Amino acid sequence: MIEKVLCDQHGSKDMSFTCIHIAMALDEKEKVGFYYSEAEEDLPQIAWCGACEQWLLDNGEEWTDVFKTNADFKMLCADCFDEAKNNELEIHLR
């Protein structure tokens, strides 16, 4: 079961994660790209921006400690995750 988070805007919702770049762009409604993986059973959704995707492509597509540090994943509620996703022009399932 995916844990719940208490969001100031949406109340109690399922937990998700995005890179810091998406989380920051959400407030400003900026377009930074949106790459995400299919949600796996009992695991929260996770997404990363175009710059993080490029870093992955340039570095063997491995989720190394360096990548995770650069991405600095932040917890969002599922509704905030969807808002970030809906804000983008292009969405990429990976």
Side-chain angles (χ1 to χ4, degrees):
M1 178 175 209
I2 297 173
E3 290 184 41
K4 300 283 186 186
V5 295
L6 185 57
C7 176
D8 290 342
Q9 287 185 306
H10 302 108
S12 180
K13 299 289 179 177
D14 286 346
M15 176 192 310
S16 67
F17 292 91
T18 67
C19 70
I20 184 72
H21 313 109
I22 290 175
M24 289 175 46
L26 182 59
D27 291 336
E28 302 297 323
K29 303 288 187 230
E30 293 178 9
K31 311 263 187 265
V32 295
F34 196 93
Y35 293 79
Y36 73 106
S37 58
E38 259 319 318
E40 295 182 28
E41 187 177 329
D42 294 335
L43 292 176
Q45 284 196 295
I46 189 166
W48 55 97
C49 70
C52 287
E53 174 68 6
Q54 191 60 54
W55 192 96
L56 284 170
L57 293 173
D58 292 344
N59 292 280
E61 300 188 44
E62 293 289 326
W63 283 51
T64 64
D65 289 339
V66 172
F67 170 72
K68 292 182 229 175
T69 297
N70 290 338
D72 191 17
F73 286 98
K74 301 298 180 192
M75 189 183 334
L76 298 178
C77 83
D79 286 0
C80 286
F81 184 96
D82 288 341
E83 281 180 28
K85 184 177 177 182
N86 293 334
N87 182 53
E88 292 295 332
L89 297 174
E90 291 187 37
I91 299 163
H92 306 272
L93 179 62
R94 196 132 156 9

